[in-house]
Amino acid sequence: MSNLKHIETDLIHAGIDGDSFTGSVNVPIYQTSTYQQDGIGKTRNGWEYSRTGNPTRFALEKLIADLEHGSDGFAFASGMAAVTAVLQLFNSGDKILITNNVYGGTYRVLDRIFSRFNLSFESVDTSNPDHVRQKITPDVKAIWIESPANPLLTITDLKLISSIAYENQLLTIVDNTFMTPYLQNPLDLGADIVVHSATKYLGGHSDLIAGLVVTKDSALGKELAFIQNATGGVLQPFDSFLLIRGIKTLALRMDRHVENAVKIARHLDNHPAIKKIYYPGLPYLPGYEINRRQAKNGGAMISFELKKEYNVEQFFKSLQIIRLAESLGGVESLVCHPATMTHASIPEDLRNQLGIIQNLIRLSPGIENIKDLIADLNQAITRSKV
Ligand SMILES: *Cc1c(COP(=O)(O)O)cnc(C)c1O
């Protein structure tokens, strides 16, 4: 079943809904590496080896393809395995333009691994279409976008950049981790490939590592299927099951995450200890207008800068409910220190130039009671004054 009426319904029933063999309402965990064949070349329904295909993983892959309105879905052992598989579409000598504050791991795999195979990249300000146009040379084959981008929540006009890419015969790849298909569908805006770290909102409970890819058409889908099977970074059946389970409640969770984020953003924006706040979900903050046209709302990630008189280390230590940790998108609120955590692999001068400075904090509000979260932030800010 695909693309039923509304996404809240699709989240629960799209892809492969249950199990036709037994009537089980959930997709079973097919914990198997291989499948008996009835004769040479005679598989039962095409299943032959679980790196190539596994029914639990396949159900997840159909589900994410439906949710992102694409042709084919692929599940990987991590977001980085998904990113890596997509980068393997390219050849030595090709170049990729990337949003200038992409996820640190994406930067690192390009900078330290793919560069050794002569796949080059350049950071560009994808929020500025003229800047993108200037950077397109004959070797450029793709534009890799995050919107909102990590951690300053910079918004890129996905429709505009996709159309520039299309005119120049480049692929548009969007890392949609921060928004999820519940809030934003990049393929509908002209992108060719969507990538997710499903470790974050899609899984939603900070209990698994997973990555997903969706292609717009089956030609790209065939290439990705080949790469997935040839390189083998697949998601295991049990984790595929957990992820399907997580996705079922995505709408409920995202609604609460966003509601909490808006309230916290408003609160922090008026707080005397805060120098600057980044959140594309408030009308008077940058990125709001473009984001409103391409996404349901501003999402749930917030970054903010404490004034100089406040000590970030002390702030993190003082928090009682909100925890200092890598990652985001779980039901529990997490904060992180981008300069030394998520973006540590970006050179310091580039970090400072981008605004990823020492007093910058990234917050992923969970689904706890908002009064408790605001009280926790307030007391930690008070205690961090030097
Ligand atoms: C976490 C993250 C990744 C990497 O995903 P893993 O599941 O940690 O491998 C990629 N992109 C973004 C935007 C992320 O937040």
Side-chain angles (χ1 to χ4, degrees):
M1 254 188 284
S2 71
N3 303 332
L4 295 159
K5 272 195 155 61
H6 298 94
I7 186 155
E8 292 83 353
T9 310
D10 276 342
L11 288 167
I12 294 156
H13 296 296
I16 292 167
D17 190 12
D19 176 42
S20 59
F21 189 55
T22 60
S24 159
V25 296
N26 286 303
V27 173
I29 303 167
Y30 284 90
Q31 194 69 43
T32 188
S33 61
T34 193
Y35 309 82
Q36 184 179 350
Q37 304 192 9
D38 294 326
I40 297 172
K42 289 203 184 103
T43 61
R44 299 186 193 168
N45 305 314
W47 304 109
E48 53 184 39
Y49 190 59
S50 278
R51 168 159 39 72
T52 319
N54 173 280
T56 316
R57 192 179 90 219
F58 184 67
L60 168 65
E61 294 176 330
K62 290 286 286 172
L63 175 61
I64 193 64
D66 287 347
L67 295 175
E68 286 288 12
H69 309 159
S71 65
D72 300 85
F74 302 92
F76 293 91
S78 69
M80 284 318 302
V83 167
T84 298
V86 172
L87 291 174
Q88 284 165 339
L89 287 167
F90 300 96
N91 296 308
S92 169
D94 290 350
K95 182 176 179 179
I96 298 175
L97 303 181
I98 61 171
T99 297
N100 60 11
N101 41 6
V102 283
Y103 178 71
T106 303
Y107 183 92
R108 179 175 55 197
V109 79
L110 281 163
D111 187 42
R112 304 284 300 278
I113 310 273
F114 283 97
S115 62
R116 299 196 316 224
F117 300 91
N118 200 26
L119 176 66
S120 62
F121 71 101
E122 188 171 351
S123 295
V124 301
D125 178 6
T126 51
S127 71
N128 179 346
D130 292 330
H131 195 214
V132 172
R133 281 196 193 92
Q134 281 161 20
K135 295 289 179 180
I136 298 175
T137 48
D139 53 345
V140 170
K141 294 293 185 290
I143 306 179
W144 186 289
I145 307 170
E146 281 179 38
S147 182
N150 196 14
L152 301 178
L153 292 326
T154 320
I155 297 297
T156 289
D157 187 329
L158 296 179
K159 211 169 181 172
L160 181 57
I161 300 300
S162 299
S163 72
I164 294 171
Y166 185 78
E167 284 162 22
N168 290 279
Q169 297 176 315
L170 317 179
L171 289 180
T172 302
I173 302 159
V174 177
D175 182 334
N176 203 26
T177 301
F178 275 32
M179 285 313 223
T180 82
Y182 181 59
L183 301 183
Q184 177 169 278
N185 293 116
L187 299 184
D188 293 348
L189 299 163
D192 301 286
I193 299 175
V194 168
V195 183
H196 284 283
S197 168
T199 309
K200 317 295 167 55
Y201 290 109
L202 290 172
H205 297 75
S206 305
D207 56 7
L208 77 113
I209 299 279
L212 298 169
V213 175
V214 180
T215 57
K216 183 192 202 121
D217 62 50
S218 51
L220 273 173
K222 273 210 181 81
E223 287 186 59
L224 245 307
F226 179 82
I227 291 169
Q228 185 192 39
N229 184 49
T231 63
V234 295
L235 191 64
Q236 294 303 309
F238 182 67
D239 291 341
S240 299
F241 163 81
L242 277 181
L243 190 45
I244 293 170
R245 190 185 208 268
I247 288 172
K248 287 180 201 285
T249 56
L250 181 69
L252 289 172
R253 289 185 286 105
M254 277 324 279
D255 284 345
R256 175 66 82 86
H257 283 299
V258 173
E259 188 186 317
N260 282 353
V262 169
K263 286 179 181 161
I264 290 171
R266 283 211 188 98
H267 176 76
L268 293 179
D269 199 37
N270 294 315
H271 198 293
I274 307 299
K275 182 163 176 218
K276 196 161 183 190
I277 173 160
Y278 301 89
Y279 181 59
L282 292 181
Y284 43 89
L285 293 178
Y288 176 82
E289 265 311 311
I290 290 170
N291 186 69
R292 195 182 54 92
R293 281 189 256 131
Q294 65 191 18
K296 187 179 275 180
N297 55 48
M301 294 301 298
I302 301 169
S303 290
F304 57 94
E305 210 181 298
L306 281 175
K307 284 188 180 157
K308 277 201 306 291
E309 311 84 84
Y310 295 82
N311 180 293
V312 266
E313 180 91 49
Q314 194 53 46
F315 172 79
F316 288 135
K317 278 198 189 127
S318 306
L319 287 168
Q320 286 167 2
I321 298 168
I322 303 169
R323 294 183 231 176
L324 177 65
E326 301 268 5
S327 204
L328 60 109
V331 291
E332 66 288 294
S333 295
L334 298 179
V335 275
C336 94
H337 187 230
T340 58
M341 294 167 78
T342 51
H343 289 67
S345 48
I346 293 179
E348 190 182 347
D349 52 340
L350 180 58
R351 255 193 276 127
N352 288 332
Q353 196 186 314
L354 293 170
I356 307 170
I357 57 163
Q358 171 66 16
N359 264 16
L360 184 77
I361 293 161
R362 189 188 77 184
L363 171 65
S364 169
I367 62 171
E368 301 97 334
N369 184 290
I370 186 62
K371 289 186 189 130
D372 295 336
L373 296 181
I374 287 179
D376 198 28
L377 288 167
N378 282 345
Q379 64 83 20
I381 290 171
T382 305
R383 284 180 199 197
S384 66
K385 184 143 196 209
V386 289

